[in-house]
């Protein structure tokens, strides 16, 4: 409320100053009119820049009013210093905006012939440099609180790019201040968006996020958009950029004295500035030439130290998939054949596998995959210093086929990437930082579980109780060959928790499908209940938890833990129902990623670790493979096996005796040297983790060297399977036209919803 009081008081002060300045216009106009012979009446006198000055003043007033309202709603950090500074600057900008007509003659007098000041054009250029600096600050300050930590050359590069853009628009629109002010506002808006994304996901904005704006909007209702003092300092920088633009515009010649040459020069300068930025971004390799690299294991640090724009450009340039070093199509296929042959001679030749294959052919079990939103066991973080033991039922399952830690490539968000890894068996490790294959790449040729089960005669169903457009699922599922996709409209009237359809409702739908259709089924359930944010306060009293972290109650953490307890309860009930079902069913249950907040615990409580071990803790969830029948060749005593998401589907198919593709066989054989891999790093046979950038040398262990070779081999095999198919790399949806046909759908199958 303090921020609201300060802002509204400053708004009143701004209005008082504005009224006094406008009255001064009238007095000056009257005095001028009465002193001139045959003068035009004052009320009809047209003084340049009055209308535009009012517009500038209203823009600054609108910012003050908005912050006042936002503060009254309790959505601004309640401390006095930042709002006082911000409102002082905004009030000053209101006054200076309306003073433009009065001050313009004095400003122009500084550049009269014989003065020591530079030419007006040079002054405009200097003003644009100042505007660029302020706009850069407006971009960075909301989320990057210590600019002194930035690499100086990266900061200079960012200032150069921002200045070129604001100056380009300034000159392109014939030195109009509004053009550069709007450009500055866009940079500020990006900075605010970056602040919110970091707040909600603990991750920066990355290029792939631009293809998922609709998804972000669809799930954004659970977040609280409160701002900090640093956001207010960003507004200060924006206001300074705008007022500098406003005064730079005063230096242009009057409309009556402009020449065609001046118009052409302005246009040329604007085109050169904007064209130079485009050419720079297209032609300069940020990753290899400028060494601006976004480290997958700590992307936030990369953005903080290198700046938003350089880091974003570097990430964008890596979206184009690059061929692995030494890649040829024939060599990649040879690798698949060699690894597949190794599987056939090893695991594939065991009696356990033979028994499972024989049983699968006989019973044709239905396979239910539950990718549970944000499900993870945070007791890994020293029991949260609160005695937290994790999801009770999940951890007590002792009759599973297999269970363990699951290494994923998403943290705090990016559900679709875990989904992509599981369904296709491909790893995000080779696709760059901030990439979302569902929204970017052409996946019509990608091998996937839906297609695989469909070829076995299964009915295939995807299920997600939210909008079908989220993460482009409606198109991806069609390409994958799912017979049906149940989205939010198929859950009308379902129970919700915090406005999200509950896990239990999706499980009820699955049981209903199993009871009403005797065909073997593959059902892929992407739940929604546990989606962030976790400060809604909508958990019913009987579900709330009261864990004190180091003696302090954290409402966000407790809301999340309450949701996990509810997921755990629903899972117990679901498996209990399946035990009573008179048909064979296999359940694969796993979490897609951790919530956004454990990074704080990780940094505070696990200091001194190597980067790989420290980072991988954040990219670890849990999985369990469970069956309601005695699975041949397996003791079903919850054997522990840690794995990564891209290998999990092949592991499931191997355990239940289902037919395997050569690519899946190759993956299983390759796991002997590299048991797990994700976008952070990879694990060797000895259990040690190595960052993706790690390189084996003559001192490397045998296990590390073998894992690195396996990683290189998998890169070539994956590139062959994902990209070397002759069609466009990018999805038709990204190119502006939704896929209309599905080459994977067999004749007569049901059209996907």
């Amino acid at each position: 409320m303090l921020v609201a009081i300060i802002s509204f008081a400053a708004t009143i002060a701004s209005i008082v100053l504005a009224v006094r300045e406008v009255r001064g216009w009238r007095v000056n106009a009257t005095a001028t009119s009465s002193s001139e012979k045959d003068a035009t009446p004052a009320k009809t006198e047209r003084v340049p820049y009055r209308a535009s000055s009012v517009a500038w003043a209203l823009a600054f007033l609108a910012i003050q009013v908005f912050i006042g309202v936002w503060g009254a709603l309790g959505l601004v950090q309640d401390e006095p210093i930042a709002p006082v500074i911000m409102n002082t600057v905004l009030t000053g900008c209101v006054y200076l905006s309306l003073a433009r007509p009065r001050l313009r003659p004095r400003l122009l007098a500084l550049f009269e012939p014989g003065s020591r000041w530079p030419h007006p054009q040079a002054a405009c250029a200097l003003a644009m440099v100042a505007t660029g600096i302020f706009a850069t600050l407006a971009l960075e300050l909301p989320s990057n609180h210590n600019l002194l930590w930035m690499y100086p050359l990266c900061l200079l590069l960012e200032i150069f790019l921002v200045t070129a853009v604001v100056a380009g628009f300034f000159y392109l629109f014939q030195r109009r201040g509004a053009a550069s002010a709007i450009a500055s506002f866009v940079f500020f808006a990006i900075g605010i968006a970056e602040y919110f994304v970091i707040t909600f996901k603990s991750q920066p904005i990355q290029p792939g996020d631009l293809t998922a704006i609709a998804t972000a909007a669809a799930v954004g209702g659970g977040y609280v958009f409160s701002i900090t003092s640093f956001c207010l300092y960003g507004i200060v920088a924006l206001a300074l950029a705008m007022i500098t633009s406003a005064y730079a515009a005063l230096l242009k010649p009057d409309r009556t004295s402009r020449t065609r040459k001046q118009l052409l020069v302005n246009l040329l300068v604007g085109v050169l500035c904007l064209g130079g930025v485009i050419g720079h971004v297209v032609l300069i390799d940020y990753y290899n030439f400028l060494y601006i690299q976004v480290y997958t294991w700590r992307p936030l640090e990369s953005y903080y130290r290198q700046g938003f724009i350089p880091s974003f450009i570097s990430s964008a340039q890596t979206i184009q998939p690059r061929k692995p070093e030494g890649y040829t199509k024939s060599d990649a296929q040879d690798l698949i054949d060699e690894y597949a042959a190794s599987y056939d001679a090893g695991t594939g030749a065991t009696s356990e596998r033979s028994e499972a294959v024989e049983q699968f052919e006989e019973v044709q079990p239905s396979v239910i995959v539950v990718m549970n939103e944000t499900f993870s066991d945070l007791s890994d973080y020293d029991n949260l210093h609160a005695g937290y033991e994790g999801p009770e039922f999940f951890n007590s399952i002792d009759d599973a086929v297999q269970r363990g830690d699951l290494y994923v490539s998403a943290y705090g968000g990016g559900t679709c990437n875990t989904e992509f890894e599981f369904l296709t068996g491909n790893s995000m490790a080779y696709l760059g930082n901030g990439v979302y294959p569902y929204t970017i790449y052409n996946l019509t040729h990608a091998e996937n579980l839906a297609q695989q089960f469909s070829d076995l005669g299964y009915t295939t169903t995807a299920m997600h109780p939210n909008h079908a457009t989220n993460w482009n699922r409606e198109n991806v599922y069609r390409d994958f060959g799912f017979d049906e996709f149940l989205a939010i409209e198929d859950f009308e009237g379902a129970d919700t928790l915090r406005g999200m359809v509950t896990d239990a409702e999706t499980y009820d739908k699955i049981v209903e499908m199993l009871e009403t259709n005797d065909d073997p089924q593959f059902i892929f359930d992407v739940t929604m209940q546990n989606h962030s944010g976790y400060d809604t306060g909508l958990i019913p009293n009987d579900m709330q938890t009261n864990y004190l972290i180091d003696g302090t109650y954290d409402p966000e953490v407790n809301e999340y833990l309450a949701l996990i307890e509810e997921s755990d309860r629903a899972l117990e009930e679901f498996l209990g129902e399946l035990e009573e079902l008179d048909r064979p069913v296999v359940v694969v249950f796993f979490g897609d990623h951790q919530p956004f907040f454990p990074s704080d615990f990780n940094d505070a409580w696990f200091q001194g670790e190597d980067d790989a071990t420290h980072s991988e803790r954040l990219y670890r969830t849990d999985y369990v493979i469970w069956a309601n029948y005695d699975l041949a060749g397996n003791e079903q005593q919850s054997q522990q096996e840690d794995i990564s998401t891209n290998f999990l589907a092949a592991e499931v198919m191997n355990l239940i005796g289902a037919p395997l593709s050569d690519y899946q066989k190759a993956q299983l054989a390759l796991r002997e040297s590299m048991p797990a891999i994700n976008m952070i790093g990879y694990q060797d046979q000895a259990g040690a983790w190595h960052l993706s950038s790690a390189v084996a040398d003559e001192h490397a262990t045998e296990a590390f060297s073998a894992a690195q070779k396996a990683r290189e081999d998998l890169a070539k095999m994956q590139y062959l399977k994902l990209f070397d198919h002759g069609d466009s790399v990018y999805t038709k949806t990204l190119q502006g036209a939704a896929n209309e046909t599905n080459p994977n759908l067999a004749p007569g199958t049901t059209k996907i919803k």
Side-chain angles (χ1 to χ4, degrees):
M1 189 57 69
L2 178 62
V3 175
I5 294 172
I6 294 172
S7 295
F8 288 137
T11 300
I12 294 172
S14 297
I15 293 173
V16 170
L17 287 174
V19 170
R20 291 183 61 183
E21 186 64 30
V22 170
R23 283 178 177 173
W25 290 355
R26 190 176 305 166
V27 171
N28 293 336
T30 302
T32 301
S33 177
S34 62
S35 64
E36 293 181 0
K37 229 182 204 182
D38 300 324
T40 304
K43 64 179 181 178
T44 63
E45 181 184 8
R46 184 179 181 280
V47 178
Y49 297 102
R50 282 190 176 178
S52 62
S53 296
V54 171
W56 284 103
L58 289 175
F60 293 117
L61 275 171
I63 296 174
Q64 280 187 307
V65 172
F66 175 82
I67 294 300
V69 172
W70 217 242
L73 295 174
L75 297 175
V76 183
Q77 183 180 345
D78 207 21
E79 62 88 22
I81 298 177
V84 166
I85 294 174
M86 181 201 69
N87 281 287
T88 300
V89 171
L90 288 173
T91 298
C93 288
V94 170
Y95 171 75
L96 289 174
S97 295
L98 295 171
R100 288 167 77 236
R102 177 168 55 83
L103 297 179
R104 182 174 182 256
R106 301 180 188 179
L107 185 64
L108 292 178
L110 296 175
F111 303 100
E112 292 178 351
S115 68
R116 296 183 179 181
W117 289 86
H119 189 274
Q121 280 281 23
C124 276
L126 291 175
M128 285 301 101
V129 171
T131 300
I133 293 173
F134 291 137
T136 302
L137 293 175
L139 167 67
E140 290 288 345
L141 283 176
S143 61
N144 192 354
H145 304 157
N146 184 9
L147 296 184
L148 296 177
W149 200 45
M150 282 184 67
Y151 298 127
L153 292 179
C154 289
L155 179 58
L156 288 175
L157 173 61
E158 185 166 53
I159 291 173
F160 166 78
L161 292 172
V162 172
T163 300
V165 171
V166 297
F169 280 100
F170 178 75
Y171 285 102
L172 191 65
F173 288 90
Q174 299 300 317
R175 293 160 65 179
R176 286 183 170 84
S180 54
I182 291 172
S184 299
F185 181 82
V186 170
F187 285 117
F188 167 73
I190 293 171
I192 290 294
E194 170 81 339
Y195 159 74
F196 283 128
V197 171
I198 291 173
T199 300
F200 299 147
K201 293 175 53 181
S202 294
Q203 297 284 342
I205 294 176
Q206 305 198 56
D209 294 324
L210 302 184
T211 65
I213 291 176
T215 299
V219 300
Y223 297 118
V224 176
F225 294 87
S226 58
I227 61 177
T228 66
S229 296
F230 285 98
C231 296
L232 301 187
Y233 292 133
I235 292 175
V236 170
L238 170 64
L240 294 174
M242 291 173 63
I243 198 66
T244 303
S245 297
Y247 271 79
L250 296 179
L251 299 177
K252 67 183 178 183
D254 290 331
R255 190 173 298 179
T256 56
S257 58
R258 293 178 200 165
T259 65
R260 180 173 297 180
K261 179 181 177 181
Q262 290 173 332
L263 294 175
L264 292 175
V265 168
N266 289 338
L267 185 63
L268 178 62
V269 172
V271 170
L272 287 176
C273 286
L274 297 177
V277 171
I278 295 172
H280 168 85
V281 171
V282 171
L283 298 176
I284 303 297
D285 186 340
Y286 272 48
Y287 191 94
N288 294 302
F289 184 72
L290 297 182
Y291 300 104
I292 295 175
Q293 302 171 357
V294 177
Y295 299 115
T296 53
W297 62 95
R298 49 175 190 266
L300 261 181
E301 180 179 326
S302 298
Y303 271 64
Y304 287 157
R305 303 214 69 177
Q306 298 170 161
F308 176 88
I309 292 178
S311 299
F312 186 88
I313 292 173
S314 180
S315 292
Q317 291 177 344
T318 63
I319 283 182
Q320 173 68 34
R322 300 183 182 184
K323 288 184 180 180
E325 186 176 351
Y327 170 86
T328 66
K329 190 169 186 176
S330 59
D331 287 347
Q333 186 59 57
D334 288 343
L335 284 171
I336 292 176
D337 294 340
E338 290 171 11
Y339 277 107
S342 176
Y343 169 86
D344 288 335
T347 302
T350 61
S351 59
E352 291 84 0
R353 171 63 181 171
S354 298
E355 292 172 15
V357 169
E358 183 178 349
Q359 184 188 50
F360 182 86
E361 292 174 349
E362 179 183 352
V363 304
Q364 293 278 284
S366 290
V367 177
I368 313 301
V369 177
V370 178
M371 189 176 76
N372 194 270
E373 173 65 40
T374 324
F375 187 91
S376 60
D377 182 358
L378 298 190
S379 65
D380 288 347
Y381 295 91
D382 275 356
N383 301 104
L384 295 179
H385 289 192
Y388 177 65
E389 298 295 336
E392 183 178 355
F393 170 74
F394 180 86
N395 288 338
S396 70
I397 297 174
D398 58 6
D399 61 344
V401 178
Q402 187 172 293
R403 65 177 305 157
D405 291 335
L406 182 68
Y407 290 94
V408 300
S409 293
Y411 173 74
T415 295
C416 66
N417 284 356
T418 303
E419 187 175 331
F420 162 81
E421 288 190 322
F422 176 77
L423 287 175
T424 69
N426 294 301
S427 175
M428 292 300 303
Y430 308 107
L431 299 183
N433 202 40
V435 170
Y436 301 109
Y438 271 20
T439 62
I440 295 174
Y441 295 136
N442 174 9
L443 300 177
T444 56
H445 299 273
E447 294 181 8
N448 65 86
L449 277 186
Q451 178 193 47
Q452 194 169 2
F453 277 108
S454 183
D455 291 343
L456 294 172
Y458 277 58
T459 298
T460 59
T461 304
M463 180 186 303
H464 176 57
N466 209 280
H467 300 294
T469 54
N470 287 359
W471 294 119
N472 194 36
R473 285 189 177 99
E474 60 181 353
N475 292 309
V476 172
Y477 288 166
R478 180 184 295 113
D479 290 339
F480 281 179
F482 277 102
D483 296 326
E484 190 173 27
F485 177 20
L486 304 181
I488 188 62
E489 59 269 16
D490 298 290
F491 289 86
E492 187 175 351
D495 289 340
T496 61
L497 181 58
R498 305 180 310 140
M500 310 287 188
V501 174
T502 63
D503 292 355
E505 286 285 352
T506 69
Y507 300 157
D508 289 345
K509 184 82 72 175
I510 291 170
V511 172
E512 178 186 342
M513 293 166 65
L514 292 173
E515 290 177 339
T516 57
N517 184 349
D518 293 333
D519 293 338
Q521 298 185 57
F522 169 62
I523 302 173
F524 183 62
D525 177 17
V526 180
T527 69
M528 192 68 191
Q529 172 188 289
N530 304 334
H531 199 284
S532 57
Y534 304 116
D535 51 1
T536 68
L538 298 177
I539 298 292
N541 290 334
D542 60 343
M543 292 184 186
Q544 292 180 7
T545 62
N546 189 34
Y547 290 99
L548 302 180
I549 301 173
D550 287 330
T552 302
Y553 181 84
D554 188 316
E556 284 190 306
V557 175
N558 275 279
E559 181 166 320
Y560 170 78
L561 296 180
L563 292 169
I564 295 304
E565 287 193 4
E566 182 60 18
S567 283
D568 194 46
R569 184 204 62 76
L571 177 63
E572 180 178 16
E573 185 175 312
F574 179 46
L575 297 188
E577 290 184 69
L578 295 181
E579 279 186 319
E580 302 299 321
L581 201 63
D582 188 22
R583 63 181 297 177
V585 178
V586 174
V587 174
V588 183
F589 179 97
F590 60 92
D592 57 348
H593 56 73
Q594 293 185 25
F596 61 87
F597 51 77
S599 57
D600 294 335
F601 307 144
N602 199 38
D603 292 340
W605 301 338
F606 298 91
Q607 299 179 4
E609 296 179 311
D610 62 274
D611 283 341
T613 302
H614 190 72
S615 298
E616 287 293 349
R617 186 177 292 105
L618 299 173
Y619 289 80
R620 184 172 71 206
T621 63
D622 304 272
Y623 80 97
V624 64
I625 304 169
W626 177 91
N628 70 346
Y629 65 102
D630 293 330
L631 192 64
N634 191 285
E635 297 179 352
Q636 285 185 232
Q637 295 180 354
S638 295
Q639 176 184 342
Q640 184 80 21
E641 178 77 17
D642 296 343
I643 198 171
S644 53
T645 323
N646 61 303
F647 294 138
L648 182 58
E651 184 76 2
V652 171
M653 300 297 271
N654 178 61
L655 289 170
I656 67 176
L660 296 166
S661 68
D662 285 347
Y663 189 34
Q664 288 173 326
K665 291 179 180 179
Q667 290 174 318
L668 293 171
L670 183 140
R671 284 197 68 230
E672 295 179 6
S673 300
M674 187 180 68
I677 182 173
N678 61 11
M679 67 181 296
I680 302 301
Y682 55 103
Q683 187 182 44
D684 64 29
Q685 194 175 27
W689 276 92
H690 310 276
L691 294 176
S692 300
S693 58
V695 178
D697 55 26
E698 65 273 14
H699 304 296
T701 64
E702 183 178 344
F704 180 20
S705 298
Q708 186 180 48
K709 181 183 183 305
R711 187 182 190 279
E712 293 170 354
D713 290 347
L714 183 59
K716 296 174 183 177
M717 293 188 287
Q718 176 169 312
Y719 188 88
L720 171 64
K721 289 296 181 180
L722 264 184
F723 302 121
D724 202 355
H725 44 62
D727 284 354
S728 170
V729 167
Y730 298 107
T731 175
K732 294 177 184 177
T733 303
L734 187 64
Q735 296 166 352
N739 294 320
E740 297 176 355
T741 60
N742 177 14
N744 294 330
L745 276 178
T749 53
T750 305
K751 183 179 179 181
I752 196 169
K753 286 190 177 182

